Amino acid sequence: MSLSEPAAPRPADLLAAMPFAARLGIELREATADRAVGSLAWSPEVCTAGGALHGGALMALADSVGAVCAYLNLPAGAAGTSTVESKTNFLRAVTAGQVLATARPLHAGGTLLVVQTDLRDDRDRLVGQTTQTQIVLRGSGA
């Protein structure tokens, strides 16, 4: 990193900007433009019938980690991002342990960013996959 480049944001600072994610118990472990990684532990408070982690909690995990990845890929002069589309495929239930979310950019353009987030359980099994589109926000009135 050169002296003129700003320091990369710390994962804790990025998570602090997302109070809903913090309230759910999402932890952000890694945050770079190439990859963002976060996790959510199973707990009864975020479950649905049968003790399965609620799909909404899994989607919130994917959206939060994906948003960090999108934010770190913003073009110069952008004010932020906002999710405009999100699609999740659920592949298996999570009834214990934690879910690890790994987000990677598929497209980082000047108007739209597309991020794919894989959700894996403690046994490294794919439990879900989310693809989201984020719009690039410009200026304070965007």
Side-chain angles (χ1 to χ4, degrees):
M1 175 167 63
S2 74
L3 294 177
S4 62
E5 290 181 42
R10 296 178 322 133
D13 294 336
L14 292 165
L15 187 61
M18 299 184 295
F20 179 69
R23 183 178 180 125
L24 278 179
I26 292 170
E27 294 181 12
L28 191 59
R29 299 176 176 197
E30 179 183 332
T32 68
D34 294 328
R35 181 173 106 144
V37 179
S39 62
L40 177 64
W42 180 95
S43 70
E45 295 80 21
V46 291
C47 285
T48 188
L53 201 57
H54 193 285
L58 290 169
M59 291 175 75
L61 171 62
D63 186 68
S64 298
V65 176
V68 167
C69 184
Y71 175 79
L72 295 173
N73 280 281
L74 282 172
T81 71
S82 184
T83 304
V84 295
E85 188 272 339
S86 183
K87 179 198 181 300
T88 300
N89 287 318
F90 298 108
L91 306 173
R92 69 177 63 245
V94 177
T95 57
Q98 68 175 351
V99 176
L100 189 70
T102 303
R104 292 185 173 83
L106 296 179
H107 172 74
T111 302
L112 296 174
L113 298 121
V114 180
V115 177
Q116 179 175 300
T117 304
D118 291 339
L119 303 168
R120 295 188 173 276
D121 66 11
D122 285 344
R123 294 171 50 189
D124 198 35
R125 298 179 300 181
L126 191 64
V127 300
Q129 188 174 71
T130 299
T131 303
Q132 65 181 256
T133 304
Q134 300 253 349
I135 193 161
V136 175
L137 302 175
R138 303 273 180 188
S140 61

